[in-house]
Amino acid sequence: MEGSMEKGDMKRQEKYHETKKHGLREFPVNIYPCSIPGDFQNVALHWHEEMEIISIKKGRGNVVVDRVVYEVEEGDVMAVFPGQLHAIYGFEDQRMDYENIIFSLSLLMGAEEDLCTERFLFPLAREQVREPLFKRRGMEGYEAFAGCIQTLDCVSVAMGIGSQLRAQRRLSTFLYLSFTSGLKLWE
């Protein structure tokens, strides 16, 4: 795969900045089931301050992140981190169903002096991730990532008492798995 955009290029790309808020101020997370071409032809190039997890449910297509094209298929999981320029395209002859889980890292942050916030969440929020996370069946750790997605799917369907805690826990687990699988940050 080609190299990612240089850090700082994003700030020159303000015209692609998506400012839509996802979820509620008190619980900034939203799960969107989507279909290309069912809902729209493609998702245009954009970036945002939130993190986005893309889970391919059916079909095949492309996810472009920082000028790198990833061909995705059913079962694939991709995490796009804050500030990464990205787009989603289907193939002309195929339908692609996928799910977007978009959330603000503030959902997981503690106090500024909290070790987890300082060492792990602030670097993500400061757009210090070099490349997206991509997992496919058969890759090391895939089952754990897929399990997080499955739990988040269940939470989004049955939003009952405590479901916010369960979602928050799974998103934290997803980030833990991202770091332990070699997530690369800018030095």
Side-chain angles (χ1 to χ4, degrees):
M1 290 185 199
E2 300 172 19
S4 296
M5 292 179 80
E6 293 298 318
K7 185 171 171 17
D9 281 354
M10 193 59 56
K11 295 306 172 197
R12 292 189 299 271
Q13 302 285 341
E14 285 300 319
K15 68 181 179 178
Y16 298 113
H17 187 192
E18 179 189 271
T19 57
K20 176 183 178 185
K21 296 298 174 198
H22 303 278
L24 306 171
R25 185 181 58 78
E26 308 82 33
F27 193 67
V29 62
N30 212 336
I31 300 176
Y32 303 99
C34 302
S35 178
I36 292 176
D39 295 323
F40 30 76
Q41 288 302 114
N42 61 59
V43 177
L45 202 57
H46 69 287
W47 67 274
H48 39 73
E49 283 117 21
E50 295 86 8
M51 184 168 162
E52 181 172 341
I53 300 170
I54 303 165
S55 174
I56 310 302
K57 301 300 184 182
K58 291 182 184 174
R60 295 178 37 229
N62 289 318
V63 176
V64 180
V65 182
D66 291 343
R67 299 185 186 137
V68 178
V69 178
Y70 297 84
E71 189 171 310
V72 294
E73 61 187 36
E74 183 176 331
D76 289 354
V77 175
M78 177 153 262
V80 179
F81 295 94
Q84 291 183 316
L85 194 61
H86 59 286
I88 305 171
Y89 299 90
F91 293 135
E92 284 185 31
D93 60 339
Q94 287 194 26
R95 177 184 172 107
M96 182 174 71
D97 295 333
Y98 65 97
E99 178 176 72
N100 272 349
I101 302 167
I102 302 176
F103 66 98
S104 172
L105 292 169
S106 67
L107 176 70
L108 308 177
M109 289 184 177
E112 262 187 57
E113 57 275 351
D114 174 85
L115 178 64
C116 291
T117 298
E118 185 62 36
R119 286 193 62 201
F120 302 105
L121 299 175
F122 276 169
L124 298 180
R126 292 179 186 137
E127 303 174 9
Q128 291 178 296
V129 177
R130 288 187 185 193
E131 53 193 44
L133 174 92
F134 177 69
K135 289 293 179 181
R136 173 171 280 160
R137 285 185 180 102
M139 294 175 90
E140 185 177 340
Y142 170 81
E143 294 301 326
F145 284 100
C148 286
I149 300 295
Q150 186 176 14
T151 300
L152 288 163
D153 289 348
C154 293
V155 168
S156 72
V157 170
M159 287 295 282
I161 294 173
S163 60
Q164 293 90 348
L165 286 171
R166 193 169 186 204
Q168 188 178 36
R169 181 173 171 225
R170 279 300 164 204
L171 292 169
S172 292
T173 300
F174 191 95
L175 287 177
Y176 163 76
L177 293 169
S178 298
F179 277 103
T180 60
S181 72
L183 184 68
K184 293 175 179 60
L185 299 175
W186 293 102
E187 302 292 324

